């Protein structure tokens, strides 16, 4: 139950400039439909800040979008002007790099708070977990909601006989910002 959709932005003006052929309302309707039809799904998205022409209002809309939809996973990138692309040809890179970075940092702070809230709700729950590797005093795994190398990891003490590449039911005993700690049940 994991879906990665790079929405990139929510402002109609920015979506139009990006040639995404979708509106902010359509994006929100899609998210609501996905969550309604697949309860418990984890949604990942990627956003771009500092796209040419992005105003303070466009950015406020983007922040509100992140707060409202509380994505389980989110990445944010600053726009970079690339020669030969439509945006690189048609638009002036008019958002200063310092503003782009400040906006990216703001979005990631919002997401960090959301991630902390969502993770805190996982204590006591049981997840089917795939064990990827052993690292120090832990076996490291991931749930169906976690992509390798970029999402939360489930850390299980080495004191159990666990096989890498196998699935186990793991009860989450504690959490921190990006890791879940658990035990085999």
């Amino acid at each position: 139950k994991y879906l990665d959709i790079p929405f990139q932005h929510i402002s109609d003006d920015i979506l139009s400039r990006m040639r995404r052929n979708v509106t902010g309302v359509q994006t929100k309707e899609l998210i609501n439909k996905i969550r309604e039809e697949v309860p418990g799904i984890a949604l990942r998205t990627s956003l771009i800040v500092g796209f040419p022409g992005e105003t303070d209002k466009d950015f406020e809309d983007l922040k509100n979008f992140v707060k409202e939809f509380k994505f389980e996973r989110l990445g944010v990138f600053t726009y970079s002007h690339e020669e030969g692309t439509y945006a690189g040809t048609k638009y002036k890179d008019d958002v200063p790099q310092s503003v782009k970075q400040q906006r990216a940092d703001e979005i990631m702070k919002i997401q960090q708070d959301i991630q902390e809230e969502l993770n805190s709700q996982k204590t006591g729950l049981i997840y089917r977990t795939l064990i990827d590797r052993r690292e120090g005093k832990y076996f490291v795994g991931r749930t169906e909601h976690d992509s390798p190398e970029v999402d939360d990891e489930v850390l299980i003490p080495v004191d159990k006989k666990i096989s890498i590449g196998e699935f186990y039911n793991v009860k989450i005993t504690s959490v921190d910002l990006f890791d879940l700690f658990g035990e085999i049940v």
Side-chain angles (χ1 to χ4, degrees), residues 55-158:
T55 65
D56 289 342
K57 182 185 181 319
D58 294 328
F59 179 64
E60 285 300 313
D61 290 346
L62 188 62
K63 289 192 316 186
N64 291 332
F65 173 64
V66 171
K67 290 175 187 176
E68 179 181 356
F69 285 91
K70 296 185 179 189
F71 294 97
E72 287 76 11
R73 308 287 182 258
L74 183 141
V76 63
F77 302 92
T78 58
Y79 172 79
S80 62
H81 214 59
E82 294 184 26
E83 294 299 321
T85 64
Y86 181 83
T89 304
K90 299 291 183 185
Y91 304 125
K92 180 177 185 282
D93 188 4
D94 60 353
V95 179
Q97 184 59 39
S98 61
V99 172
K100 291 177 191 177
Q101 189 59 55
Q102 174 259 327
R103 288 177 178 177
D105 292 345
E106 276 189 61
I107 294 286
M108 287 314 298
K109 173 60 176 126
I110 293 166
Q111 183 60 26
Q112 182 177 338
D113 293 344
I114 291 167
Q115 188 75 37
E116 194 169 17
E117 175 189 335
L118 294 175
N119 273 358
S120 72
Q121 298 168 8
K122 294 178 181 177
T123 302
L125 300 179
I126 297 172
Y127 290 94
R128 187 166 185 244
T129 303
L130 175 63
I131 305 302
D132 288 325
R133 67 187 183 281
R134 180 178 173 175
E135 205 170 273
K137 60 184 182 175
Y138 292 103
F139 282 99
V140 180
R142 57 192 156 90
T143 73
E144 66 179 308
H145 298 139
D146 302 301
S147 183
E149 301 178 15
V150 294
D151 290 334
D152 290 357
E153 295 180 323
V154 180
L155 304 177
I156 305 152
V158 170

Side-chain angles (χ1 to χ4, degrees), residues 172-184:
I172 305 304
T173 56
S174 64
V175 300
D176 66 17
L177 184 57
F178 297 111
D179 294 315
L180 309 173
F181 296 87
E183 61 188 20
I184 305 292

Side-chain angles (χ1 to χ4, degrees), residues 7-39:
F7 292 117
Q8 297 185 340
H9 218 285
I10 198 63
S11 160
D12 286 342
D13 183 54
I14 298 299
L15 290 169
S16 175
R17 293 171 69 81
M18 289 178 168
R19 301 173 69 191
R20 295 288 294 177
N21 298 317
V22 68
T23 67
V25 169
Q26 289 169 322
T27 298
K28 291 176 181 183
E29 288 172 350
L30 175 63
I31 295 166
N32 287 330
K33 183 174 180 160
I34 290 168
R35 286 191 167 151
E36 179 183 311
E37 293 195 17
V38 187

Side-chain angles (χ1 to χ4, degrees), residues 146-171:
D146 302 301
S147 183
E149 301 178 15
V150 294
D151 290 334
D152 290 357
E153 295 180 323
V154 180
L155 304 177
I156 305 152
V158 170
D159 63 348
K160 303 263 185 186
K161 179 162 175 43
I162 296 176
S163 297
I164 294 170
E166 297 293 324
F167 286 92
Y168 296 89
N169 288 324
V170 176
K171 181 177 183 178

